[in-house]
Structure formats: C-alpha cells, structure tokens
Amino acid sequence: MEMIKVSSTSVPNHVAGAIASLMREQDKLMIQTIGAAALNQAIKSIAIARGYIIPTGKELICIPSFHDLMVDDKRITALRLVIELR
C-alpha cells in the first residue's frame, strides 16, 4: 500500500491530485500525519480528491488509526488515514 506523508505546509490541491492519481491505479492508500495542522491539510486534500473521484461513480472512504513512531529516540503518535475506493 502506497503511503503519502502530509505535513502542515503541504498544499491540499497538490496532495489531492496525488491521491486521485494513485486511486485511479489502486484501490487503497495510506496518508500519515503528525500534528493537528498536518491532519487539517490531509482532510482538506481528501475532500478535494473526493470531488475528482465522484464523477467516476466511486466513493472515497477514510479509516483513521493511531500509530506510534520513534523520532530522535522519542515516541510520537502519528495519525494514519487509510483511503479506500468503493
């Protein structure tokens, strides 16, 4: 499964284009965010990508989960969003 990492400085329109492009090739991908601002950009991106996908008769489903990561010997919690095409 392909993973896209979204940060607080990610441009939602660019991420949405990447999501839509990947979803045309596969039926599932993962978005990883760390922090509220990054999650905000990811959710906006998913909403925009949904607009690109809807005309094909498909729907994007988002399944969130927490994932612990080690960064510089510190444990941080990332939010992962699995995006499925239905």
Side-chain angles (χ1 to χ4, degrees), residues 32-53:
Q32 179 172 290
T33 66
I34 298 172
L39 178 60
N40 181 50
Q41 298 303 82
I43 294 298
K44 287 191 281 187
S45 300
I46 294 166
I48 295 166
R50 182 175 179 263
Y52 298 153
I53 298 294

Side-chain angles (χ1 to χ4, degrees), residues 6-10 32-44 66 77-79 81:
V6 175
S7 74
S8 61
T9 59
S10 295
Q32 179 172 290
T33 66
I34 298 172
L39 178 60
N40 181 50
Q41 298 303 82
I43 294 298
K44 287 191 281 187
F66 292 107
T77 301
L79 192 70
L81 307 168

Side-chain angles (χ1 to χ4, degrees), residues 7-72:
S7 74
S8 61
T9 59
S10 295
V11 179
N13 284 323
H14 296 169
V15 177
I19 292 169
S21 177
L22 287 169
M23 295 309 286
R24 288 185 181 104
E25 299 169 5
Q26 54 197 28
D27 62 348
K28 189 185 283 191
L29 69 88
M30 182 181 296
I31 297 174
Q32 179 172 290
T33 66
I34 298 172
L39 178 60
N40 181 50
Q41 298 303 82
I43 294 298
K44 287 191 281 187
S45 300
I46 294 166
I48 295 166
R50 182 175 179 263
Y52 298 153
I53 298 294
I54 286 291
T56 68
K58 301 284 185 170
E59 180 65 83
L60 292 181
I61 305 298
C62 179
I63 304 166
S65 64
F66 292 107
H67 183 75
D68 289 332
L69 300 170
M70 293 299 288
V71 176
D72 297 330

